[in-house]
Coordinates of all heavy atoms in Angstrom, one line a residue:
M1 N -26.9 -2.3 34.8 CA -25.6 -2.8 34.6 C -24.8 -1.9 33.6 O -25.4 -1.5 32.6 CB -25.7 -4.2 34.0 CG -24.9 -5.2 34.8 SD -25.0 -6.9 34.1 CE -26.7 -7.3 34.0
P2 N -23.6 -1.6 33.9 CA -22.9 -0.7 33.0 C -22.5 -1.5 31.7 O -22.1 -2.6 31.7 CB -21.6 -0.4 33.7 CG -21.4 -1.5 34.7 CD -22.8 -2.0 35.0
L3 N -22.8 -0.8 30.5 CA -22.4 -1.3 29.2 C -20.9 -1.4 29.2 O -20.2 -0.4 29.6 CB -22.9 -0.5 28.1 CG -24.2 -0.9 27.4 CD1 -24.6 0.1 26.3 CD2 -24.1 -2.3 26.8
A4 N -20.3 -2.4 28.6 CA -18.9 -2.5 28.4 C -18.4 -1.4 27.5 O -19.0 -1.1 26.5 CB -18.5 -3.9 27.9
Q5 N -17.3 -0.8 27.9 CA -16.8 0.3 27.1 C -16.2 -0.2 25.8 O -16.6 0.2 24.7 CB -15.7 1.1 27.9 CG -16.3 1.8 29.1 CD -17.3 2.9 28.7 OE1 -17.1 3.7 27.8 NE2 -18.4 2.9 29.4
T6 N -15.2 -1.0 25.9 CA -14.6 -1.6 24.7 C -14.4 -3.1 24.9 O -14.4 -3.6 26.1 CB -13.2 -1.0 24.4 OG1 -12.3 -1.5 25.4 CG2 -13.2 0.5 24.4
K7 N -14.3 -3.9 23.9 CA -14.2 -5.3 24.0 C -12.9 -5.8 24.6 O -12.7 -6.9 24.9 CB -14.5 -6.0 22.7 CG -15.9 -5.8 22.2 CD -16.1 -6.4 20.9 CE -17.5 -6.0 20.4 NZ -17.8 -6.4 19.0
T8 N -11.9 -4.9 24.7 CA -10.6 -5.3 25.2 C -10.4 -4.8 26.6 O -9.4 -5.2 27.2 CB -9.5 -4.8 24.3 OG1 -9.7 -3.4 24.0 CG2 -9.5 -5.5 22.9
S9 N -11.2 -4.0 27.2 CA -11.0 -3.5 28.5 C -11.8 -4.3 29.5 O -11.7 -4.0 30.7 CB -11.4 -2.0 28.6 OG -12.8 -1.9 28.5
V10 N -12.5 -5.3 29.1 CA -13.4 -6.1 30.0 C -12.6 -7.3 30.5 O -11.7 -7.7 29.9 CB -14.7 -6.5 29.3 CG1 -15.6 -5.2 29.1 CG2 -14.4 -7.2 28.0
P11 N -13.1 -7.9 31.6 CA -12.4 -9.0 32.2 C -12.5 -10.3 31.4 O -11.7 -11.2 31.5 CB -13.0 -9.2 33.6 CG -14.3 -8.5 33.5 CD -14.2 -7.4 32.5
V12 N -13.6 -10.4 30.6 CA -13.8 -11.7 29.8 C -13.5 -11.4 28.3 O -14.2 -10.5 27.7 CB -15.2 -12.2 30.0 CG1 -15.4 -13.5 29.1 CG2 -15.4 -12.6 31.5
I13 N -12.5 -12.0 27.8 CA -12.0 -11.7 26.4 C -12.3 -13.0 25.5 O -12.1 -14.1 26.0 CB -10.5 -11.4 26.4 CG1 -10.2 -10.3 27.3 CG2 -10.1 -11.2 24.9 CD1 -10.7 -8.9 26.8
V14 N -12.9 -12.7 24.4 CA -13.1 -13.8 23.4 C -12.2 -13.7 22.2 O -12.0 -12.6 21.6 CB -14.6 -13.8 22.9 CG1 -14.8 -14.8 21.8 CG2 -15.6 -14.0 24.1
D15 N -11.5 -14.8 21.9 CA -10.6 -14.8 20.8 C -11.5 -15.1 19.5 O -12.0 -16.2 19.3 CB -9.6 -16.0 21.0 CG -8.6 -16.0 19.8 OD1 -8.9 -15.5 18.8 OD2 -7.5 -16.6 20.1
N16 N -11.6 -14.1 18.7 CA -12.5 -14.2 17.5 C -12.0 -15.3 16.6 O -12.8 -15.8 15.8 CB -12.6 -12.8 16.8 CG -13.5 -11.9 17.5 OD1 -14.2 -12.3 18.5 ND2 -13.4 -10.6 17.1
E17 N -10.7 -15.5 16.6 CA -10.2 -16.6 15.7 C -10.7 -18.0 16.1 O -10.9 -18.8 15.2 CB -8.7 -16.6 15.7 CG -8.0 -15.3 15.3 CD -8.2 -15.1 13.8 OE1 -7.9 -16.0 13.0 OE2 -8.6 -13.9 13.4
K18 N -10.9 -18.1 17.4 CA -11.3 -19.4 17.9 C -12.9 -19.6 18.0 O -13.4 -20.7 18.0 CB -10.7 -19.7 19.2 CG -9.2 -19.9 19.2 CD -8.6 -20.2 20.6 CE -7.1 -20.4 20.6 NZ -6.6 -20.5 22.0
C19 N -13.5 -18.5 18.2 CA -15.0 -18.5 18.5 C -15.7 -19.0 17.3 O -15.5 -18.6 16.2 CB -15.5 -17.1 18.9 SG -17.3 -17.0 19.1
I20 N -16.6 -20.0 17.5 CA -17.4 -20.6 16.4 C -18.9 -20.2 16.6 O -19.8 -21.0 16.2 CB -17.2 -22.1 16.4 CG1 -17.5 -22.8 17.7 CG2 -15.8 -22.4 15.9 CD1 -17.6 -24.3 17.6
A21 N -19.2 -19.0 17.1 CA -20.6 -18.5 17.2 C -21.2 -18.4 15.8 O -22.4 -18.6 15.6 CB -20.6 -17.2 17.9
D22 N -20.3 -18.2 14.8 CA -20.8 -18.1 13.4 C -21.3 -19.5 12.9 O -22.0 -19.6 11.9 CB -19.8 -17.6 12.5 CG -18.4 -18.3 12.6 OD1 -18.3 -19.1 13.5 OD2 -17.5 -18.0 11.8
K23 N -21.0 -20.6 13.7 CA -21.5 -21.9 13.3 C -22.6 -22.3 14.3 O -23.0 -23.5 14.3 CB -20.4 -22.9 13.4 CG -19.3 -22.7 12.3 CD -18.3 -23.8 12.2 CE -17.4 -23.6 11.0 NZ -16.6 -22.4 11.1
G24 N -23.1 -21.3 15.1 CA -24.3 -21.6 15.9 C -24.0 -21.8 17.4 O -24.9 -22.0 18.1
C25 N -22.8 -21.7 17.8 CA -22.5 -21.9 19.2 C -22.9 -20.7 20.0 O -22.7 -19.6 19.6 CB -21.0 -22.1 19.4 SG -20.5 -22.5 21.1
T26 N -23.6 -21.0 21.2 CA -23.9 -19.9 22.1 C -23.7 -20.4 23.5 O -24.3 -19.9 24.5 CB -25.4 -19.6 22.0 OG1 -26.2 -20.7 22.2 CG2 -25.8 -19.0 20.6
V27 N -22.7 -21.3 23.7 CA -22.5 -22.0 25.0 C -22.2 -20.9 26.1 O -22.8 -20.9 27.2 CB -21.4 -23.0 24.9 CG1 -21.0 -23.5 26.3 CG2 -21.9 -24.2 24.1
C28 N -21.2 -20.1 25.8 CA -20.8 -19.1 26.9 C -22.0 -18.2 27.2 O -22.1 -17.9 28.4 CB -19.6 -18.3 26.4 SG -19.8 -17.4 24.9
V29 N -22.7 -17.8 26.3 CA -23.9 -16.9 26.5 C -24.9 -17.6 27.4 O -25.4 -17.1 28.3 CB -24.5 -16.5 25.2 CG1 -25.8 -15.6 25.5 CG2 -23.5 -15.7 24.3
D30 N -25.1 -18.9 27.1 CA -26.1 -19.7 27.8 C -25.7 -20.0 29.2 O -26.6 -20.1 30.1 CB -26.4 -21.0 27.0 CG -27.0 -20.8 25.7 OD1 -27.5 -19.7 25.4 OD2 -26.8 -21.7 24.8
V31 N -24.4 -20.3 29.5 CA -24.0 -20.7 30.8 C -23.8 -19.5 31.8 O -23.8 -19.7 33.0 CB -22.7 -21.6 30.8 CG1 -23.0 -22.9 30.1 CG2 -21.5 -20.8 30.3
C32 N -23.7 -18.3 31.3 CA -23.4 -17.2 32.2 C -24.6 -16.9 33.0 O -25.6 -16.5 32.5 CB -23.0 -16.0 31.3 SG -22.7 -14.5 32.4
P33 N -24.4 -17.0 34.3 CA -25.6 -16.7 35.2 C -26.0 -15.2 35.2 O -27.1 -14.9 35.7 CB -25.1 -17.1 36.6 CG -23.6 -17.0 36.5 CD -23.2 -17.3 35.1
L34 N -25.1 -14.3 34.8 CA -25.4 -12.9 34.8 C -25.9 -12.4 33.5 O -26.3 -11.2 33.4 CB -24.2 -12.1 35.2 CG -23.7 -12.2 36.7 CD1 -22.5 -11.3 36.9 CD2 -24.8 -11.8 37.6
D35 N -25.9 -13.2 32.5 CA -26.3 -12.8 31.1 C -25.5 -11.6 30.6 O -26.1 -10.7 30.1 CB -27.8 -12.5 31.1 CG -28.6 -13.8 31.0 OD1 -28.0 -14.8 30.5 OD2 -29.8 -13.8 31.4
V36 N -24.2 -11.6 30.9 CA -23.4 -10.4 30.4 C -22.7 -10.7 29.1 O -22.1 -9.8 28.6 CB -22.4 -10.0 31.5 CG1 -23.1 -9.5 32.8 CG2 -21.4 -11.1 31.9
L37 N -22.7 -11.9 28.6 CA -22.1 -12.2 27.3 C -23.2 -12.2 26.3 O -24.4 -12.4 26.5 CB -21.4 -13.6 27.4 CG -20.4 -13.7 28.5 CD1 -19.8 -15.1 28.4 CD2 -19.3 -12.7 28.4
A38 N -22.8 -11.9 25.0 CA -23.7 -11.9 23.9 C -23.0 -12.2 22.7 O -21.8 -12.3 22.6 CB -24.4 -10.5 23.9
I39 N -23.8 -12.4 21.6 CA -23.2 -12.7 20.3 C -23.3 -11.3 19.5 O -24.4 -10.8 19.4 CB -23.9 -13.8 19.5 CG1 -24.0 -15.1 20.3 CG2 -23.2 -14.0 18.2 CD1 -22.7 -15.7 20.7
D40 N -22.1 -10.9 19.0 CA -22.1 -9.7 18.2 C -22.6 -10.1 16.8 O -22.0 -10.8 16.1 CB -20.7 -9.2 18.1 CG -20.6 -7.9 17.3 OD1 -21.5 -7.7 16.4 OD2 -19.7 -7.1 17.5
L41 N -23.8 -9.7 16.5 CA -24.5 -10.2 15.3 C -23.9 -9.6 14.0 O -24.1 -10.1 12.9 CB -26.0 -9.9 15.3 CG -26.7 -10.6 16.4 CD1 -28.2 -10.2 16.5 CD2 -26.6 -12.1 16.3
L42 N -23.1 -8.6 14.1 CA -22.4 -8.0 12.9 C -21.3 -9.0 12.5 O -21.0 -9.2 11.3 CB -21.8 -6.7 13.2 CG -22.8 -5.5 13.3 CD1 -22.1 -4.2 13.7 CD2 -23.5 -5.4 12.0
I43 N -20.5 -9.6 13.5 CA -19.4 -10.4 13.1 C -19.6 -11.9 13.6 O -18.8 -12.7 13.3 CB -18.1 -9.9 13.7 CG1 -18.2 -9.8 15.2 CG2 -17.7 -8.5 13.1 CD1 -16.9 -9.4 15.9
N44 N -20.8 -12.1 14.2 CA -21.1 -13.5 14.7 C -20.0 -14.1 15.6 O -19.6 -15.2 15.4 CB -21.4 -14.4 13.5 CG -22.8 -14.3 13.0 OD1 -23.7 -14.4 13.9 ND2 -23.0 -14.3 11.7
K45 N -19.6 -13.3 16.6 CA -18.7 -13.7 17.6 C -19.2 -13.3 18.9 O -19.9 -12.3 19.1 CB -17.3 -13.1 17.3 CG -16.7 -13.4 16.0 CD -16.3 -14.9 15.8 CE -15.8 -15.2 14.4 NZ -15.5 -16.6 14.2
A46 N -18.8 -14.1 20.0 CA -19.3 -13.8 21.3 C -18.4 -12.6 21.9 O -17.3 -12.4 21.4 CB -19.1 -15.0 22.2
Y47 N -19.0 -11.8 22.8 CA -18.2 -10.8 23.4 C -18.9 -10.4 24.7 O -20.0 -10.8 25.0 CB -18.2 -9.5 22.5 CG -19.5 -8.7 22.4 CD1 -19.6 -7.5 23.0 CD2 -20.5 -9.2 21.7 CE1 -20.8 -6.8 22.9 CE2 -21.7 -8.5 21.6 CZ -21.8 -7.3 22.2 OH -23.0 -6.6 22.1
M48 N -18.2 -9.7 25.6 CA -18.7 -9.3 26.9 C -19.5 -8.0 26.6 O -18.9 -6.9 26.4 CB -17.6 -9.1 27.9 CG -18.2 -8.8 29.3 SD -17.0 -8.9 30.6 CE -17.9 -9.9 31.8
K49 N -20.8 -8.1 26.7 CA -21.7 -6.9 26.5 C -21.7 -6.0 27.7 O -21.8 -4.8 27.5 CB -23.1 -7.4 26.1 CG -24.0 -6.3 25.7 CD -25.3 -6.9 25.1 CE -26.2 -5.7 24.7 NZ -27.5 -6.3 24.1
Y50 N -21.8 -6.6 28.9 CA -21.9 -5.8 30.1 C -20.7 -6.1 31.0 O -20.3 -7.2 31.2 CB -23.2 -6.2 30.9 CG -24.5 -5.9 30.1 CD1 -25.1 -6.9 29.4 CD2 -24.9 -4.6 29.9 CE1 -26.3 -6.7 28.7 CE2 -26.1 -4.4 29.2 CZ -26.7 -5.4 28.6 OH -27.9 -5.2 27.8
D51 N -20.1 -5.0 31.5 CA -18.9 -5.2 32.3 C -19.3 -5.5 33.7 O -19.2 -4.6 34.6 CB -18.1 -3.9 32.2 CG -16.7 -4.0 32.7 OD1 -16.4 -5.1 33.3 OD2 -15.9 -3.1 32.6
E52 N -19.7 -6.7 33.9 CA -20.1 -7.2 35.2 C -19.8 -8.7 35.2 O -20.0 -9.4 34.2 CB -21.6 -7.0 35.3 CG -22.2 -7.3 36.7 CD -22.2 -6.1 37.6 OE1 -22.4 -5.0 37.1 OE2 -21.9 -6.3 38.8
C53 N -19.1 -9.2 36.3 CA -18.7 -10.6 36.2 C -18.5 -11.1 37.6 O -18.1 -10.4 38.5 CB -17.4 -10.7 35.5 SG -16.8 -12.3 35.1
W54 N -18.9 -12.4 37.8 CA -18.8 -13.1 39.1 C -17.5 -13.9 39.1 O -17.2 -14.6 40.1 CB -20.0 -14.0 39.4 CG -21.2 -13.2 39.9 CD1 -21.3 -11.9 40.3 CD2 -22.5 -13.8 39.9 NE1 -22.5 -11.6 40.6 CE2 -23.3 -12.7 40.4 CE3 -23.1 -15.0 39.7 CZ2 -24.7 -12.9 40.6 CZ3 -24.4 -15.2 39.9 CH2 -25.2 -14.1 40.4
Y55 N -16.8 -14.0 38.0 CA -15.6 -14.8 37.9 C -15.8 -16.2 38.2 O -15.0 -16.9 38.9 CB -14.4 -14.2 38.7 CG -14.2 -12.7 38.3 CD1 -14.6 -11.7 39.2 CD2 -13.6 -12.4 37.1 CE1 -14.5 -10.4 38.8 CE2 -13.5 -11.0 36.8 CZ -13.9 -10.0 37.6 OH -13.7 -8.7 37.3
C56 N -17.0 -16.7 37.8 CA -17.3 -18.1 38.2 C -16.8 -19.1 37.1 O -16.7 -20.3 37.3 CB -18.8 -18.2 38.3 SG -19.7 -17.5 36.9
T57 N -16.4 -18.6 35.9 CA -15.7 -19.2 34.8 C -16.3 -20.4 34.1 O -15.6 -21.0 33.3 CB -14.3 -19.6 35.3 OG1 -14.3 -20.7 36.2 CG2 -13.5 -18.5 35.9
P58 N -17.6 -20.7 34.2 CA -18.1 -21.7 33.2 C -18.0 -21.3 31.8 O -17.9 -22.2 30.9 CB -19.5 -21.9 33.7 CG -19.9 -20.6 34.4 CD -18.6 -20.2 35.1
C59 N -18.0 -20.0 31.5 CA -17.9 -19.6 30.1 C -16.6 -20.0 29.5 O -16.5 -20.5 28.4 CB -18.1 -18.0 30.0 SG -16.9 -17.1 31.1
E60 N -15.5 -19.9 30.3 CA -14.2 -20.3 29.9 C -14.1 -21.8 29.9 O -13.6 -22.4 28.9 CB -13.2 -19.7 30.8 CG -11.7 -20.1 30.5 CD -10.7 -19.4 31.4 OE1 -10.5 -18.2 31.3 OE2 -10.2 -20.1 32.3
A61 N -14.6 -22.5 30.9 CA -14.5 -23.9 31.0 C -15.3 -24.7 29.9 O -14.9 -25.7 29.4 CB -14.9 -24.4 32.4
D62 N -16.5 -24.1 29.6 CA -17.4 -24.9 28.7 C -17.2 -24.5 27.2 O -17.8 -25.2 26.4 CB -18.8 -24.6 29.1 CG -19.1 -25.2 30.5 OD1 -18.3 -25.9 31.0 OD2 -20.2 -25.0 31.0
C63 N -16.5 -23.4 26.9 CA -16.3 -23.1 25.5 C -15.6 -24.2 24.8 O -14.6 -24.7 25.2 CB -15.5 -21.8 25.4 SG -15.1 -21.4 23.7
P64 N -16.3 -24.7 23.7 CA -15.7 -25.9 23.1 C -14.4 -25.7 22.4 O -13.7 -26.6 22.1 CB -16.8 -26.3 22.1 CG -17.6 -25.0 21.8 CD -17.5 -24.3 23.1
T65 N -14.1 -24.4 22.1 CA -12.8 -24.2 21.3 C -11.8 -23.4 22.2 O -10.7 -23.1 21.7 CB -13.1 -23.3 20.1 OG1 -13.6 -22.1 20.5 CG2 -14.1 -24.0 19.2
G66 N -12.1 -23.2 23.5 CA -11.1 -22.5 24.3 C -10.9 -21.0 23.9 O -9.9 -20.4 24.1
A67 N -12.0 -20.4 23.4 CA -11.9 -19.1 22.9 C -12.0 -18.0 24.0 O -11.7 -16.9 23.9 CB -13.0 -18.8 21.9
V68 N -12.6 -18.5 25.2 CA -12.9 -17.5 26.3 C -11.7 -17.5 27.3 O -11.3 -18.5 27.8 CB -14.2 -17.9 27.0 CG1 -14.5 -16.9 28.1 CG2 -15.3 -17.9 26.0
T69 N -11.3 -16.3 27.7 CA -10.4 -16.1 28.8 C -11.0 -15.2 29.8 O -11.4 -14.1 29.5 CB -9.1 -15.4 28.3 OG1 -8.5 -16.3 27.2 CG2 -8.1 -15.3 29.4
V70 N -11.1 -15.7 31.0 CA -11.6 -14.9 32.1 C -10.4 -14.4 32.9 O -9.6 -15.2 33.5 CB -12.5 -15.7 33.1 CG1 -13.0 -14.8 34.2 CG2 -13.7 -16.2 32.3
N71 N -10.2 -13.1 32.9 CA -9.0 -12.5 33.6 C -9.5 -12.1 35.0 O -10.0 -11.0 35.3 CB -8.5 -11.3 32.9 CG -7.9 -11.7 31.6 OD1 -7.0 -12.5 31.5 ND2 -8.4 -11.1 30.5
I72 N -9.2 -13.0 36.0 CA -9.7 -12.8 37.4 C -8.7 -11.8 38.0 O -7.5 -12.0 38.0 CB -9.7 -14.2 38.1 CG1 -10.6 -15.1 37.4 CG2 -10.0 -14.0 39.6 CD1 -10.6 -16.6 38.0
P73 N -9.3 -10.8 38.6 CA -8.5 -9.8 39.3 C -7.6 -10.4 40.4 O -8.0 -11.3 41.1 CB -9.5 -8.8 39.9 CG -10.7 -9.0 39.1 CD -10.7 -10.4 38.7
Y74 N -6.4 -9.9 40.5 CA -5.4 -10.4 41.4 C -6.0 -10.5 42.8 O -5.8 -11.5 43.5 CB -4.2 -9.5 41.4 CG -3.1 -9.9 42.4 CD1 -2.4 -11.1 42.1 CD2 -2.9 -9.2 43.5 CE1 -1.4 -11.5 43.0 CE2 -1.9 -9.7 44.4 CZ -1.2 -10.8 44.1 OH -0.2 -11.2 45.0
L75 N -6.7 -9.6 43.3 CA -7.2 -9.6 44.7 C -8.3 -10.7 44.9 O -8.6 -11.0 46.1 CB -7.8 -8.2 45.0 CG -6.7 -7.1 45.2 CD1 -7.4 -5.8 45.5 CD2 -5.8 -7.5 46.4
L76 N -8.9 -11.2 43.9 CA -9.9 -12.2 44.0 C -9.3 -13.6 44.0 O -10.0 -14.6 44.2 CB -11.0 -12.1 43.0 CG -11.8 -10.8 43.0 CD1 -12.9 -10.9 42.0 CD2 -12.5 -10.7 44.4
R77 N -8.1 -13.8 43.5 CA -7.5 -15.1 43.3 C -7.2 -15.8 44.6 O -7.0 -15.2 45.6 CB -6.2 -15.0 42.5 CG -6.5 -14.8 41.0 CD -5.2 -14.7 40.2 NE -5.5 -13.9 39.0 CZ -4.5 -13.6 38.2 NH1 -3.2 -13.9 38.4 NH2 -4.8 -12.8 37.1
Ligands
SF4_1 S1 -18.7 -20.8 23.9 FE1 -16.8 -20.3 22.8 S2 -17.1 -20.8 20.6 FE2 -19.1 -20.8 21.7 S3 -19.9 -18.7 21.3 FE3 -18.8 -18.7 23.3 S4 -16.7 -18.0 22.8 FE4 -17.7 -18.6 20.9
SF4_2 S1 -17.1 -15.7 34.6 FE1 -19.2 -16.2 35.1 S2 -20.2 -14.2 35.3 FE2 -18.3 -13.9 34.3 S3 -18.8 -13.9 32.1 FE3 -18.2 -16.0 32.7 S4 -20.0 -17.1 33.2 FE4 -20.5 -14.9 33.2

């Protein structure tokens, strides 16, 4: 799986202001069937580690603070 180049060029974006991974939340990481999300242990926030996505969106739907945005490509909508 290709490693994500930067945290802003990937389809799944996490709003660090809203993410409460620093309080122990790992919901988005746990629900992702591809295991492409991870917690950045330097800042204790979730991020897309691998640039691979099924656009199934439980990460966005289940995040308790609405921190996750899945940008579904136009052709898949
Ligand atoms: S589910 Fe939301 S609050 Fe929890 S780790 Fe993921 S982005 Fe952060
Ligand atoms: S949309 Fe699905 S595959 Fe993509 S990061 Fe979220 S849970 Fe994982």
Side-chain angles (χ1 to χ4, degrees):
M1 231 182 306
L3 259 180
Q5 294 298 315
T6 71
K7 290 175 190 174
T8 50
S9 69
V10 291
V12 177
I13 303 292
V14 174
D15 183 339
N16 284 350
E17 300 289 313
K18 293 182 181 173
C19 178
I20 53 169
D22 50 354
K23 296 190 170 59
C25 182
T26 58
V27 169
C28 59
V29 176
D30 296 339
V31 296
C32 177
L34 288 181
D35 281 337
V36 295
L37 304 179
I39 306 296
D40 182 334
L41 296 176
L42 285 178
I43 57 172
N44 274 316
K45 302 293 177 182
Y47 73 109
M48 186 166 228
K49 184 173 183 181
Y50 300 100
D51 193 354
E52 186 88 40
C53 191
W54 284 346
Y55 306 106
C56 50
T57 71
C59 54
E60 181 177 285
D62 294 353
C63 173
T65 63
V68 180
T69 302
V70 179
N71 294 304
I72 300 173
Y74 179 71
L75 288 174
L76 293 183
R77 285 183 206 172

